[in-house]
Amino acid sequence: EPEVTQTPSHQVTQMGQEVILRCVPISNHLYFYWYRQILGQKVEFLVSFYNNEISEKSEIFDDQFSVERPDGSNFTLKIRSTKLEDSAMYFCASTFSGGPYNEQFFGPGTRLTVL
Amino acid sequence: AQRVTQPEKLLSVFKGAPVELKCNYSYSGSPELFWYVQYSRQRLQLLLRHISRESIKGFTADLNKGETSFHLKKPFAQEEDSAMYYCALTSQTSGSRLTFGEGTQLTVNP
């Protein structure tokens, strides 16, 4: 059964460094998402992406964040200058069609630790 | 603004006992509600959704618009039900973003 994959599983970085988190959505899916979960807190929506552009973003998704689908299979989240408070689990998700009824398929997550 | 609340962080029951995981939401429009589950060392996955009115692995959930609740129930818990359960909401007007509750860690003891 196809699955969403994410790399790396764990990323450690120094504050101020740039990181790129990678996701490979399920191949025929068209809508892509990033969520994050700070330890002990809720899973929070960051951004949704469709047709090579951002469809929606949360207030968390500020100018230091960007997303890209560089090659038709990968979907990346870049954090330009990491802060300590960016330490979290980052989940990628995908779905075939948008709209509120559809199951989102989640990746296993990337744990980002900012030192 | 939409919000989901799961009042219990931890819930522990014995095998064979009934279990109810509570979920309350606030949203002024017409929400779509989901339960997602995360078993140990596995990814988040959909358990059930309100619109399907289905029973999955013996679990059911009824949307009560008057009480703004979507509690998850199972009459006889099994040890393999031990997991983290997240209630989530989306809506026609919020696009497809999921708003999650805090999650409830369910432990089913033998």
Side-chain angles (χ1 to χ4, degrees):
Chain A
E1 189 172 327
E3 290 185 327
V4 176
T5 59
Q6 289 185 244
T7 54
S9 56
H10 191 188
Q11 172 95 45
V12 181
T13 189
Q14 295 289 328
M15 190 169 57
Q17 294 297 303
E18 175 183 287
V19 294
I20 297 176
L21 309 183
R22 290 183 167 79
C23 168
V24 179
I26 293 173
S27 63
N28 65 340
H29 285 186
L30 302 174
Y31 294 78
F32 315 116
Y33 308 84
W34 283 102
Y35 293 84
R36 80 170 185 192
Q37 185 176 31
I38 295 170
L39 188 63
Q41 297 186 25
K42 293 186 179 190
V43 177
E44 302 172 290
F45 169 80
L46 292 177
V47 66
S48 58
F49 191 86
Y50 168 70
N51 199 26
N52 275 323
E53 58 184 35
I54 290 173
S55 334
E56 191 183 3
K57 60 183 180 179
S58 72
E59 51 283 352
I60 303 168
F61 194 87
D62 61 21
D63 291 345
Q64 71 160 343
F65 290 94
S66 62
V67 288
E68 194 178 29
R69 188 152 162 81
D71 57 14
S73 63
N74 288 282
F75 178 52
T76 62
L77 174 69
K78 183 193 291 186
I79 309 175
R80 284 192 190 81
S81 177
T82 50
K83 304 172 192 164
L84 294 176
E85 54 265 36
D86 294 327
S87 294
M89 195 76 163
Y90 288 80
F91 295 105
C92 174
S94 71
T95 186
F96 176 71
S97 59
Y101 308 109
N102 299 290
E103 175 181 1
Q104 293 185 20
F105 292 82
F106 283 81
T110 292
R111 180 168 299 285
L112 176 65
T113 302
V114 182
L115 303 175
Chain B
Q2 50 198 50
R3 184 178 174 87
V4 177
T5 304
Q6 294 178 249
E8 302 142 327
K9 277 200 164 180
L10 302 170
L11 184 61
S12 184
V13 300
F14 285 103
K15 176 182 170 181
V19 63
E20 180 179 71
L21 291 89
K22 291 184 166 47
C23 171
N24 290 92
Y25 67 90
S26 64
Y27 180 65
S28 54
S30 184
E32 299 302 327
L33 284 141
F34 304 82
W35 279 97
Y36 278 80
V37 61
Q38 188 171 29
Y39 300 101
S40 179
R41 298 189 192 86
Q42 295 187 29
R43 62 190 66 206
L44 266 169
Q45 57 187 277
L46 179 69
L47 179 63
L48 56 79
R49 69 192 102 183
H50 149 245
I51 195 167
S52 303
R53 299 187 182 280
E54 57 206 341
S55 172
I56 302 292
K57 299 185 178 182
F59 284 98
T60 58
D62 289 318
L63 178 61
N64 186 324
K65 290 189 177 181
E67 295 183 359
T68 59
S69 68
F70 189 58
H71 302 328
L72 183 69
K73 299 176 186 179
K74 185 168 181 176
F76 307 105
Q78 303 299 313
E79 288 180 68
E80 55 265 31
D81 296 328
S82 296
M84 192 72 167
Y85 290 81
Y86 293 96
C87 183
L89 176 155
T90 186
S91 71
Q92 297 273 11
T93 53
S94 70
S96 50
R97 72 152 77 181
L98 285 166
T99 298
F100 284 90
E102 301 89 342
T104 298
Q105 178 68 50
L106 173 66
T107 302
V108 181
N109 299 298

